[in-house]
Amino acid sequence: MTTYQVPRRDWRAAASALRKLLANGDDTTQVFVIMRSLNGNQTPRQYAQLMATADGPRLAYRRVELAERFSDPAFIAGFAPGTVGAAYRAFLAETGYTAAGLAEISNLDGVALIEHPYAWFGRRTRDVHDIWHVLTGYKADETMGEAALVAFSYAQTGGLGWAFIGAGAALKSMRVTGGTLFAKAVWEGYRHGRKAAWLMGEDYEALMHEPLEAARARLRIAEPVAYKHAQAELGEQMASYASAQKAQTGALA
């Protein structure tokens, strides 16, 4: 079996990546730099948690590569209206994102797929991110939606990288907007992540066929009230700021 080395925490690399990410929210590579720099032993701990669940050993034995599964057009096309899978299909159509594209971006060193249980679980954590956008209602094409979801993800996984991004985005929002609506949405994401069932233990192939609202109820995923309020109040302001930041970043490149 391939040796798996737990990465050491590198706060300097994480801080540099966070500055780049906050300057350009589309620079997704920086997210994975932060994850690798700060999440440390989160993957082994989460894998052990999976193995302690009733269904975890079966999922680990099958070791499905979700990026491959979610990139199968026939699989994506087969979901009934109103299901989690149908909402995910609409998400892909709206955003233009793909599971394979995210997997490619995350491969910082361009290495072949590592055949190790911990590495598999790390890929699984990456591959369910967009499903969590669908389940939680946090949009993927805006800074606040991503910030709220990373706070949710920190509550679910304990990975410090998620907390680092969420806190950085919340602090920046207070400077940009002069208020706390954005930060409250991020805090709500964390609280909702704490209250929800542990989503990493789910069988995602089965979950995709569940009615979306029923799945949210079963998984105890609450309505993102503070997020929607902040979205309505700050949407145009944050979008204008993000556009200005991107233009500045492009001019300096």
Side-chain angles (χ1 to χ4, degrees):
M1 180 181 293
T2 304
T3 301
Y4 179 88
Q5 294 183 340
V6 176
R8 293 184 177 182
R9 290 201 174 113
D10 187 340
W11 288 97
R12 180 175 296 180
S16 175
L18 182 63
R19 285 193 295 270
K20 294 175 183 177
L21 180 63
L22 292 180
N24 179 8
D26 290 334
D27 190 1
T28 310
T29 299
Q30 304 308 322
V31 173
F32 295 104
V33 173
I34 294 168
M35 295 299 109
R36 185 167 69 177
S37 299
L38 296 185
N39 279 5
N41 66 350
Q42 172 243 335
T43 297
R45 287 190 292 104
Q46 289 269 290
Y47 185 82
Q49 185 174 350
L50 177 70
M51 294 300 289
T53 66
D55 206 29
R58 180 184 67 85
L59 295 173
Y61 178 79
R62 292 181 62 222
R63 209 170 296 169
V64 173
E65 293 291 341
L66 292 178
E68 295 178 6
R69 199 76 175 106
F70 294 160
S71 298
D72 180 355
F75 179 70
I76 296 300
F79 300 116
T83 60
V84 175
Y88 177 63
R89 183 171 61 228
F91 170 91
L92 296 178
E94 179 181 356
T95 62
Y97 296 166
T98 65
L102 188 63
E104 183 177 357
I105 292 170
S106 73
N107 191 357
L108 301 175
D109 302 318
V111 299
L113 184 144
I114 298 174
E115 295 181 334
H116 190 285
Y118 294 165
W120 165 78
F121 191 86
R123 293 190 293 271
R124 176 181 168 84
T125 304
R126 173 200 67 200
D127 296 337
V128 300
H129 178 78
D130 286 344
I131 306 298
W132 288 14
H133 272 297
V134 170
L135 290 170
T136 60
Y138 298 128
K139 288 193 172 183
D141 56 353
E142 59 177 29
T143 304
M144 185 163 52
E146 287 290 359
L149 186 60
V150 298
F152 182 98
S153 300
Y154 172 59
Q156 285 277 310
T157 69
L160 283 178
W162 299 118
F164 196 57
I165 295 171
L171 289 172
K172 176 182 175 180
S173 75
M174 288 188 282
R175 175 170 56 84
V176 171
T177 68
T180 59
L181 288 177
F182 185 115
K184 287 179 179 178
V186 174
W187 178 244
E188 179 187 61
Y190 172 76
R191 290 189 292 106
H192 285 188
R194 292 276 294 178
K195 293 178 181 177
W198 188 55
L199 302 189
M200 288 307 304
E202 288 295 304
D203 181 340
Y204 279 85
E205 290 180 291
L207 173 63
M208 300 288 270
H209 290 280
E210 286 188 46
L212 177 58
E213 294 306 323
R216 285 171 171 165
R218 179 178 67 80
L219 297 170
R220 304 191 302 276
I221 298 175
E223 181 78 11
V225 177
Y227 164 72
K228 289 184 176 180
H229 175 61
Q231 189 183 43
E233 294 293 326
L234 299 176
E236 291 187 8
Q237 184 177 358
M238 293 304 298
S240 297
Y241 182 82
S243 296
Q245 285 291 96
K246 290 178 185 178
Q248 182 180 13
T249 301
L252 294 174

